[in-house]
């Protein structure tokens, strides 16, 4: 079997099969929002231990850390996705196992990547400037490691992804490969598996530190690409979890056509009793696909209690369906990995797509394209067909009235806040194309919110003349418009608050926070409105001081990171003074568009 055929058989990345194409703490006072606690070290990832899988944690279990009152929905960190207390053991790695199946390449010195600047995006390709994170590398890395990975704002995650993917200079206080590991690890927890792989591949694999090797294992599993593990096997055996890397060595040996070493390594792991047999069977399934192992390996999920990255990655790579009960309890990050993995069954991708779209993992265009692809398959599910029919009418109805009616039906069809917001994301381009002469009622706030999910602010501002001051749509445009609206003051905010049906008038408090952060209301009017609403936007904490100081130093990357740290959880748990400091800091470092979109999103989602 050729390597190309092998890649097609496994659904793996062809680039990972050719090594020539493999792209290459100082203690700090916590400056995170109150309640964040000490950042935890990230141990090497590993498959779950025997004898039995650990039951899945309840999705309502309250996590430690996070802003005061943070909702109990934080996905596990990279370290806990696989769980287990597998003992790495003191036994030395066998030399043959460490080299079997490894792909090697030689590059001239001039072609080697330096660790002084790591990342794929340059300012010319949409990235930030090389000095966007400043010079405090250990501090930035500590914040990255402490974050759970769930950012309330879709636009906040989009901005953070851009910052983490930028080609940034490595500060003298940290190794470039270690910082890359922390960047990729946070991206994985955000569900951004493909961007995490770009970061990992920005470091030549023979320059990877133990921290990056551990993160690389998680990254290639998240991308359902076991062959990507192969260059890291020697370092993994030397510095990581011995048993999981022995399984990786076995799979890589099989991919190189070396059935003997592969079988020997599998047998050694099984005899150790430190890895659950189910996880070993998944590795054998990979070997079976290569022709180096048993082709009749049967995978039964009935005794598996939770979905780990190992199980997700190997099952997806070999075309094994993951049962719905496990899907129902999977971490949010795995839901996003599912959407981004093209070999995943379409039904699973569609089920996870609203979450990924609402978080910013999928753009509006990508979300619509995925729905379109699913509906074009033979005999699509009835619910999906009805959904796409409505979406099609929203884009291409006979007239503006029909298109808007289809949009309204589509927005109300979803169940739950995530599905409803994802529906706004899907119709963004259709909403932007609707003529301003269309009859959309007295307060088309959903229409405006839909446009702003994709950044159509110049199109949305054309509707301002049709809005009533103090209405929901007016509030969204008061912060989302590319230029300030006239007549904004304490009185208009009071009018907005009089019709505010959000809990504890949170929407009105967010409106004031956004306006004040953007400098669109003078200090006296802001103070009067704050007194009326009973909110203190001037509250100071270590986090507020940190983000303000990063803005003063003109560090947009650090501001983006701290902004995301201040928006962990869901919108209804974000303090209004957090939004004020976030919007103000982003505005001050030249990220005004992102500041406006985050402020507008807050008013749409609460």
């Amino acid at each position: 079997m050729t390597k190309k055929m092998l890649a097609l058989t496994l659904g793996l990345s062809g680039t990972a099969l050719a090594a020539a194409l493999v792209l290459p703490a100082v203690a700090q006072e916590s400056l995170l929002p109150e309640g964040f606690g000490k950042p935890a070290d990230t141990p090497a990832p590993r498959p779950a231990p025997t004898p039995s899988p650990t039951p899945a944690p309840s999705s309502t279990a309250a996590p430690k850390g996070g802003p005061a009152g943070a909702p109990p929905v934080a996905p596990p960190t990279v370290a806990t996705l696989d769980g287990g207390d597998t003992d790495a053991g003191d036994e030395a790695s066998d030399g043959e196992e460490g080299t079997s199946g490894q792909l090697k390449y030689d590059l001239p010195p001039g072609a080697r990547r330096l660790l002084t600047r790591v990342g794929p995006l340059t300012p010319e390709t949409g990235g930030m400037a090389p000095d966007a994170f400043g010079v405090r590398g250990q501090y930035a890395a500590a914040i990255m490691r402490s974050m759970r990975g769930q950012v309330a704002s879709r636009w906040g995650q989009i901005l953070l992804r851009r910052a983490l993917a930028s080609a940034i200079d490595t500060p003298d206080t940290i190794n470039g490969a270690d910082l890359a590991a922390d960047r990729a690890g946070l991206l994985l927890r955000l569900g951004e598996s493909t961007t995490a792989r770009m970061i990992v591949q920005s470091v030549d694999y023979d320059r990877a530190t133990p921290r990056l090797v551990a993160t690389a294992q998680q990254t290639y599993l998240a991308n359902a690409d076991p062959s990507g593990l192969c260059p890291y096997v020697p370092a993994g055996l030397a510095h990581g979890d011995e048993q999981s890397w022995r399984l990786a060595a076995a799979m890589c040996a099989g991919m190189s056509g070396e059935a003997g070493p592969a079988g020997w390594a599998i047998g050694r792991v099984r005899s150790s009793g430190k890895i659950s047999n189910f996880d070993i069977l998944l590795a054998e399934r990979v070997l079976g696909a290569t022709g180096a192992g048993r082709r009749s390996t049967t995978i039964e999920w009935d005794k598996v209690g939770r979905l780990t990255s190992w199980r997700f990655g190997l099952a997806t790579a070999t075309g094994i369906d993951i049962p719905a009960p496990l899907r129902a309890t999977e971490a949010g990050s795995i839901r996003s990995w599912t959407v981004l993995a093209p070999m995943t069954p379409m039904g699973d991708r569609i089920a996870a797509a609203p979450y990924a779209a609402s978080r910013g993992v999928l753009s509006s265009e990508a979300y619509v394209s995925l729905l379109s692809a699913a509906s074009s398959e033979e005999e699509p599910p009835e619910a999906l067909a009805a959904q796409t029919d409505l979406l099609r009418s929203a884009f291409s109805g006979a007239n503006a009235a029909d298109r808007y009616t289809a949009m309204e039906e589509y927005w109300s069809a979803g169940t739950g806040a995530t599905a409803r917001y994802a529906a706004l994301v899907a119709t963004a381009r259709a909403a932007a194309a609707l003529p301003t002469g269309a009859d959309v009622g007295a307060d088309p706030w959903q229409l405006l919110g839909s446009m702003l999910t994709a950044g159509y602010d110049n199109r949305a501002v054309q509707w301002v003349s049709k809005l009533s001051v103090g209405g929901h749509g007016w509030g969204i445009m008061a912060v989302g418009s590319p230029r300030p609206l006239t007549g904004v003051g304490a009185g208009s905010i009071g009018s907005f608050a009089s019709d505010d049906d959000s809990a504890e008038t949170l929407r009105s408090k967010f409106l004031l926070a956004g306006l004040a952060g953007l400098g669109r209301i003078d200090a006296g009017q802001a103070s009067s409105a704050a007194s009326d609403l009973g909110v203190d936007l001037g509250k100071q904490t270590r986090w507020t001081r940190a983000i303000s100081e990063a803005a003063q130093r003109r560090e947009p990357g650090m501001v983006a990171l701290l902004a995301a740290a201040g928006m962990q959880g869901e919108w209804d748990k974000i303090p209004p003074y957090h939004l004020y400091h976030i919007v103000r800091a982003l505005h001050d470092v030249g990220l005004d568009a992102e500041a406006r979109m985050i402020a507008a999103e807050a008013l749409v989602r609460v």
Side-chain angles (χ1 to χ4, degrees), residues 29-35 139 540-547:
E29 179 188 25
S30 175
L31 296 180
L32 296 174
E34 304 106 309
Y139 171 61
Q540 292 292 312
T541 65
R542 286 175 295 180
W543 173 81
T544 64
R545 289 191 292 272
I547 195 169

Side-chain angles (χ1 to χ4, degrees), residues 28 243 268 586 595:
Q28 297 278 355
Q243 303 305 326
R268 188 169 183 181
L586 292 173

Side-chain angles (χ1 to χ4, degrees), residues 45-80:
R46 61 199 66 173
T50 192
S52 61
T54 304
S58 170
S59 60
T60 59
K64 296 181 179 179
V73 292
T77 64
V78 170
T80 60

Side-chain angles (χ1 to χ4, degrees), residues 73-420:
V73 292
T77 64
V78 170
T80 60
L81 283 173
D82 287 312
D85 299 316
T86 306
D87 181 6
D90 296 323
E91 186 177 7
S93 301
D94 183 272
E96 180 181 358
E97 181 184 349
T99 58
S100 177
Q102 298 313 301
L103 303 172
K104 295 180 173 58
Y105 72 97
D106 294 312
L107 287 175
R112 303 298 302 278
R113 279 178 285 267
L114 300 176
L115 294 179
T116 52
R117 181 174 295 175
V118 177
L121 293 184
T122 64
E124 293 74 25
T125 57
M128 293 185 176
D131 60 352
F133 280 84
V135 297
R136 297 189 296 169
Q138 290 286 0
Y139 171 61
I143 296 174
M144 293 175 195
R145 290 195 297 272
S146 71
M147 291 178 61
R148 303 190 303 270
Q150 182 164 330
V151 178
S153 170
R154 178 176 186 273
W155 275 103
Q157 173 153 331
I158 292 170
L159 175 61
L160 179 58
R161 177 180 64 218
R162 174 187 165 201
L164 294 174
S166 296
I168 59 174
D169 289 338
T170 302
D172 293 337
T173 56
I174 192 170
N175 181 282
D178 281 341
L179 184 56
D182 292 323
R183 291 160 65 185
L186 176 53
L187 285 164
L188 287 178
R189 295 193 295 281
L190 292 169
E192 306 280 1
S193 52
T194 55
T195 307
R197 180 169 57 186
M198 292 169 67
I199 295 296
V200 169
Q201 291 179 336
S202 294
V203 177
D204 292 335
Y205 71 80
D206 58 345
R207 288 180 171 171
T209 58
R211 188 185 299 177
L212 183 56
V213 169
T215 303
Q217 186 183 69
Q218 289 291 313
T219 299
Y220 284 104
L221 290 172
N223 283 278
D225 183 8
S227 65
L229 302 175
C230 298
Y232 301 93
V233 166
L237 289 170
H239 304 293
D241 171 59
E242 181 183 14
Q243 303 305 326
S244 65
W245 282 107
R246 284 189 189 279
L247 290 178
M251 291 186 289
C252 293
M255 294 177 202
S256 296
E258 301 176 10
W264 176 81
I266 289 284
R268 188 169 183 181
V269 172
R270 179 170 277 119
S271 64
S272 74
K274 295 177 180 178
I275 298 292
S276 71
N277 191 57
F278 180 83
D279 293 318
I280 297 173
L281 289 174
L282 286 174
E284 289 185 320
R285 183 64 175 256
V286 173
L287 287 175
T290 68
R294 297 182 297 171
R295 294 179 177 271
S296 60
T297 302
T298 301
I299 303 298
E300 297 180 351
W301 296 87
D302 53 317
K303 295 183 180 180
V304 175
R306 65 187 179 120
L307 186 60
T308 66
S309 57
W310 181 271
R311 293 163 186 171
F312 167 82
L314 299 193
T316 302
T318 53
I320 301 171
D321 289 338
I322 297 171
L326 283 180
R327 286 289 191 191
T329 61
E330 68 188 2
S333 55
I334 296 183
R335 270 181 276 173
S336 295
W337 301 350
T338 296
V339 174
L340 295 178
M343 68 287 291
T344 304
M346 184 61 79
D348 289 338
R349 296 181 73 193
I350 291 298
Y355 178 88
S358 69
R359 294 295 170 190
V361 175
L362 284 181
S363 68
S364 175
E365 182 179 0
Y367 187 26
V368 172
S369 295
L370 181 61
L371 292 172
S372 177
S375 66
S376 65
E377 294 191 334
E378 290 188 27
E379 299 183 3
E382 185 176 341
L384 175 62
Q387 180 185 18
T388 51
D389 283 344
L390 275 178
L391 191 57
R392 190 174 296 109
S393 296
F395 277 89
S396 57
N399 53 56
D402 289 347
R403 282 148 54 192
Y404 186 66
T405 298
M407 285 184 223
E408 288 188 302
E409 291 183 25
Y410 188 74
W411 296 332
S412 61
T415 301
T418 295
R420 288 192 293 270

Side-chain angles (χ1 to χ4, degrees), residues 443 445 468-479 488-502 505-512 515 533 599-600 602-604 606:
D443 189 8
W445 68 270
S468 299
V469 174
H472 194 171
W474 171 86
I476 291 170
M477 293 312 301
V479 293
V488 175
S492 55
I493 294 174
S495 297
F496 184 90
S498 66
D499 290 330
D500 186 354
D501 59 357
S502 63
T505 62
L506 181 59
R507 189 182 303 138
S508 300
K509 295 172 183 176
F510 279 161
L511 172 61
L512 173 60
L515 290 170
L533 292 171
L603 270 66
V604 173
V606 298

